[in-house]
Amino acid sequence: MGKLRRTWLKLVSPLAWSRPGAERRFLASFSETERGSAVDMLAAAELTERRDLRRKYFIHALDETRHARLFARRAGDFGAESVRARAALNDANTLQAHGIVGGRSLFERYGELEFLAFVHRSEALAVEQFGVYHDLELLDEKTDQMLQNILRDEHFHVGYSRTELERYTRSGKGADVQRALRKVFWRRPWEAWMRFSVQIGHVVTSFWMTVLYLVVVAPFKLGAARERPGFRDVPPDPRSRMTAARGQG
Amino acid sequence: MATWILGMSALFHDAAVALVRDGEVVAAAQEERFTRIKHDAELPVRAAEWALAEAGIDATELDHLVFYEKPLAKFQRILVNSVAEFPRAWRSFPRAMQTWLGRKLWIAGEISRTFRVPPHKLLFSEHHLSHAASAFLPSPFDEAAILTIDGVGEATTTAIWRGNRTAPHVEPVAEVVFPHSLGLFYSAMTAFLGFAVNEGEYKVMGMAAFGRPRFMEQMRALVRLREHGSFELDLDAFCWHWHPSESFTGKLVSILGEPRFPGAPFDPTTPEGQHWADIAASTQAMLEEAVLHVARYARERVDLPNLCLAGGVGLNAVANTRLAVEGPFDQLWVQPAAGDAGGALGAALWCWHDLLEHPRVLNQRYRCDLGRRWTDAESAEILQDLRAPREQLSPQQRLNRAVDDLTTGGVIGWFQGCAEYGPRALGHRSILADPRGAGTRDRVNARIKYREAFRPFAPAVTAEAADRYFDLHTALTGPVQYMVATGTVRPEYREELAAITHIDGSARVQVVHPEHSPLFHSLLEAFGERTGMPVLLNTSFNLKGDPMVDTPIDAVAALYSSDLDAVYVGCHRVTRSERIRGGDLRD
Ligand SMILES: [Fe+2]
Ligand SMILES: [Fe+2]
Ligand SMILES: [Fe+2]
């Protein structure tokens, strides 16, 4: 799997980086990712019962915060940052999330051991990905240099998480560690698949909703008149306040 | 037995909860402070969990959970609008249907399950009603006119209410409905000026001071003021009612010229910079004119001398000030959490006073430090684990050291007591600096907050000395305690107080009373004793793009990730060990 991924990365990365505006887009998205992991690491520092690990998580968070800023700054060199929100009104707002699902951080959802396994794996993948960029000389000198600096931190992240996992193994939790690593290993493709199916779902629903809109909604247009602008008096509600409050409409 | 009500806002802008016990707010917080996702709109799971724990109750003990708006009414508005905008809403319709049919329509069930509150305890306020309640019920007025102005709730975008002595305390009078909206107009102009919507509105307000309202003729064609307080937007120039991701059309461009390129540097000394500043100034002036126009009508409909204000537009401190100066009301009170987070508080208080019909208790000052707090022992444990250099100080030492830091040019994080509810830091999660000289401002902008140089910083001043330095309108006695209005820096102090004086001589003052914020007040006093000037530069304690810090770890992380000189967490003074900084710490 590792080799496969590396080959895949080597094939795809040059194409991806050669697209116009790729530098800015990639660097900005790295910045977002780093920012997300900083949040996850801070949450872990907050919540861990292992007081000896708190400082490591904390320093890790600081590293990622710095990386996020470096990436963002470099992205800025390739063009102005695009404004994320341009819509004054977003009724279809999809709720944002990185590691946080239903208000729960990664750490809360995985627990200490699995969280460490997750950190270890994602850091290793990042090191690999950045390594491919460097080896294939996809980056300009300045970006490459910045990435080399960042990589030094990433190696530390890979290292300390490995040390901690080994410590768990030595303390007789080897089976747990293996299980956590397996879980983390398979979660990635599984989540990618889930995201993919959700996307497919979106495309299908979008299609039918558009059809619905264009075919079914059309006749109603005739009867629909916009309310005249301006103040209108609010008519009294015949229901009692409590009854009204129980209703959603 | 006590009655417990949990108010909740979520799924649109800022998610928040407010927990009310027998009409008294015991805890309130925004979800973003917990999840560290700015403006997090997800169901406020963490905030709710904390609030219940803080009160020492279980979800089963809640008598009511009140959601701040009516989901079905909102859905209805979206449907009706999609029909009215046929066929050009063809792109926004499928998107909206997806999130609504997929989730938001069934939110009652999800809330009930997530927060373990049986359906019969679940109640729904209305969006603007929640705003109105948050403005009037905590205000010092026994009766008042109420004005709520925002982007849009269910369908209402602007509403006039009557605040009564008895239930219904909050009574609807008149409303304007979608798509005519002053909030959306300002947001669309924010996008036009190259800033992110729901984030960059403050930047427009800051930029406006550099310009002259040269485009009023165009603005008045875009926002036409009609009789009876009404306003009508040029719906061909804007597209929030049919476009899923844009706010304005080619018509606006043909009227005002090309929009500003996002992220482009802003230099008011160049003709181009002046052009953007003039558009910002015109936008701001137009908003103010419209707000005044609506307020005059509100006074006509509700003939009371006092006005309460909420809804996102209520965060426009400059407009609030103009309303106080030129408007028809004697006194103003603005809910500090005027945006949607404040809806959680409004919904809960409305339930207590208008559904359960309990009278209000007047003469209780509204306090907005309603969030999380840490004891010194708790923070000591955390700081020890982080091995950040720290000193433990007595209360007096803490003041002295902070003043030492400040007077030697230091910029400090001030993390004390409960976190603020609402977007302004009022001395609990603040970054503070010496306001004298403009150098500090540039340093804080460039190396701590990483924000645009043109944005002003705000001062905090003791109530006793406020008049010496600032000209504050008498109608704003309430709002200036919460930084939702501005004052004018007296000309003789403008040079000295350059760091907090905006280009037009204004400042978004926080007036600090000893009985309301004893610790922050004594810090200001101590600073005043040393320097002769009890004024501090006060800005929210967060780094660019982050929500305000909420925990000691957040605070120390901000210290290490910026050029702050020290952070005061309770009675601990924490500094940076250069060893960690730079990431070369490998133990
Ligand atoms: Fe990183
Ligand atoms: Fe990393
Ligand atoms: Fe609102």
Side-chain angles (χ1 to χ4, degrees), chain A residues 120-163:
Chain A
H120 180 63
R121 172 140 177 90
S122 23
E123 295 292 340
L125 290 179
V127 166
E128 182 179 48
Q129 189 179 345
F130 290 165
V132 167
Y133 295 164
H134 174 74
D135 294 347
L136 297 184
E137 297 179 12
L138 294 174
L139 311 168
D140 62 282
E141 206 183 304
K142 197 172 165 197
T143 310
D144 191 56
Q145 225 162 51
M146 180 188 83
L147 208 65
Q148 291 311 308
N149 273 327
I150 289 177
L151 264 172
R152 236 171 286 152
D153 297 331
E154 306 300 7
H155 281 297
F156 163 62
H157 303 157
V158 176
Y160 91 87
S161 49
R162 187 196 303 119
T163 313

Side-chain angles (χ1 to χ4, degrees), chain A residues 34 64 67 154:
Chain A
E34 298 277 7
E64 305 298 19
H67 298 170
E154 306 300 7

